[in-house]
Amino acid sequence: MVLLVNGEIFDANETNSDKLLDDLQSDAIIKGNSVAFNNSKQNEISYHSLFVCQGEYSIVNFSGREGINWIGTAEATTCHIVVIHDDSSIALAHIDSKEVDCEILKMVRGMSGTLSLYVVGGLNDEAMKNTSRPISEALVKHFHDSETHYEVKLFSTLALNTEYHDGDNKPYPIVTDAAFDVQSRTLCRAHYEYRGPALELRSTMRVVLAGEHKNIFQQDKMILEIPRFNFPKEPEDLPKVKETDDWILANYSTSPWCEPSYFCNDMRNYWTFRGTKSSDDVFENTVHILYEMNEEGQWVPL
């Protein structure tokens, strides 16, 4: 039950999750680290990256990674990016719900010593849909109550990750995309030009297996594996493809005023996939779909 900030034990005045979160984010070092991260350079990420989709997590060893220079994720407007590492490996998750205990335990299995912790994402949307705060509270409570020791390097969520634009009283997240540089072992702001393979299938997996974060990266074989799961063709999704951007944002976004420019096209691609494909079409007679990284750093089918 130890959280460390700058090597010192974080002595919270409260133990309930909302006050605990407020105490942590009021710490001068935590606030200063957030400001520094928000103002840091944004890295353009293309190839040689392991992209983690919403509802997934992945673990990469610092040695034997064969071409993987980055592990990261994007579009964490109300979701949270959680990064944990020890001296041997790094785990990153794109968390989209307050049910975090199982996912974090799976991420740190096999790690040892005091673990470095970074959390970024989510915005101060309490006056809007209040999607972000329950996730932040659940995370800080898990880490505080855990038997594992965590050194908090960054906890930039809610107000620490929010800005307001002139003439607009809506909150906007400062950072939604982040990537961990596996060589320098630093977390960076990111912009993803290439997000990896099978995005529509992975989105389908998140929806069908709701509440269960999946690790699709096999470190020992250096491959992405999407295991077979069953889903029907959903032709009723096809009419949504023709809907306007405003309709899509209003009905399918937790933060419609600040989604990335590609959000609506991603949704249309997803509905096209669901409307025309079933698990039998995608997997045929296989039990999984596999990808490996080629010399150019792109994920290609095995």
Side-chain angles (χ1 to χ4, degrees):
M1 197 179 293
V2 174
L3 286 179
L4 303 173
V5 176
N6 200 32
E8 301 290 333
I9 294 176
F10 171 66
D11 188 13
N13 296 322
E14 302 284 347
T15 56
N16 59 312
S17 58
D18 57 339
K19 298 297 184 182
L20 183 62
L21 176 63
D22 291 341
D23 280 356
L24 179 64
Q25 295 198 311
S26 296
D27 182 89
I29 292 174
I30 294 297
K31 291 171 72 173
N33 289 350
S34 293
V35 171
F37 186 75
N38 292 343
N39 291 326
S40 64
K41 175 187 173 182
Q42 186 179 69
N43 289 265
E44 297 293 328
I45 310 296
S46 54
Y47 302 139
H48 295 285
S49 174
L50 174 57
F51 184 83
V52 177
C53 291
Q54 180 179 342
E56 295 178 357
Y57 73 96
S58 288
I59 302 169
V60 173
N61 292 339
F62 289 129
S63 61
R65 48 192 165 83
E66 295 179 16
I68 296 179
N69 298 333
W70 302 90
I71 174 173
T73 189
E75 301 174 60
T77 51
T78 56
C79 296
H80 289 43
I81 303 165
V82 176
V83 178
I84 304 170
H85 75 80
D86 64 2
D87 291 335
S88 300
S89 62
I90 182 273
L92 184 146
H94 187 132
I95 300 290
D96 58 0
S97 82
K98 63 181 182 180
E99 305 303 323
V100 301
D101 292 339
C102 250
E103 320 316 323
I104 302 301
L105 290 174
K106 287 188 286 188
M107 290 173 67
V108 302
R109 186 178 299 146
M111 292 187 181
S112 61
T114 298
L115 308 183
S116 296
L117 170 66
Y118 307 76
V119 181
V120 63
L123 70 164
N124 193 20
D125 64 342
E126 291 181 63
M128 311 290 285
K129 296 190 175 185
N130 196 30
T131 306
S132 299
R133 187 173 182 93
I135 302 175
S136 285
E137 290 180 353
L139 286 169
V140 77
K141 180 168 176 54
H142 173 90
F143 295 125
H144 179 266
D145 293 349
S146 171
E147 294 181 0
T148 301
H149 289 197
Y150 290 95
E151 173 82 36
V152 185
K153 303 290 189 179
L154 184 70
F155 211 104
S156 187
T157 72
L158 307 181
L160 297 183
N161 189 44
T162 299
E163 62 185 0
Y164 296 86
H165 299 169
D166 290 342
D168 187 350
N169 62 358
K170 297 186 185 72
Y172 290 81
I174 299 170
V175 177
T176 60
D177 304 6
F180 190 87
D181 184 330
V182 181
Q183 183 171 358
S184 67
R185 303 189 186 186
T186 55
L187 185 68
C188 308
R189 296 184 62 182
H191 175 261
Y192 267 89
E193 298 175 2
Y194 170 69
R195 290 180 284 162
L199 296 180
E200 293 82 18
L201 179 59
R202 292 160 73 179
S203 292
T204 300
M205 182 168 62
R206 172 176 60 84
V207 172
V208 171
L209 305 178
E212 180 184 351
H213 285 67
K214 300 291 289 184
N215 178 14
I216 66 168
F217 179 62
Q218 288 192 23
Q219 171 71 48
D220 57 338
K221 299 178 181 178
M222 295 297 294
I223 60 173
L224 288 179
E225 176 190 14
I226 304 175
R228 182 185 176 101
F229 63 100
N230 294 322
F231 59 93
K233 190 180 298 184
E234 301 281 4
E236 61 270 23
D237 278 345
L238 288 174
K240 299 175 188 175
V241 174
K242 298 181 179 180
E243 293 287 354
T244 65
D245 286 1
D246 287 344
W247 184 88
I248 294 172
L249 289 167
N251 289 277
Y252 288 93
S253 170
T254 57
S255 50
W257 63 93
C258 59
E259 292 290 0
S261 58
Y262 52 80
F263 176 85
C264 293
N265 282 337
D266 278 0
M267 291 303 302
R268 292 186 179 99
N269 291 339
Y270 168 73
W271 289 322
T272 300
F273 178 84
R274 292 302 309 271
T276 58
K277 302 290 184 182
S278 69
S279 52
D280 288 340
D281 298 320
V282 173
F283 291 96
E284 297 180 338
N285 296 320
T286 64
V287 295
H288 50 210
I289 295 175
L290 303 176
Y291 296 86
E292 66 177 351
M293 183 174 285
N294 64 16
E295 292 182 357
E296 289 73 39
Q298 296 174 288
W299 293 99
V300 295
L302 266 176

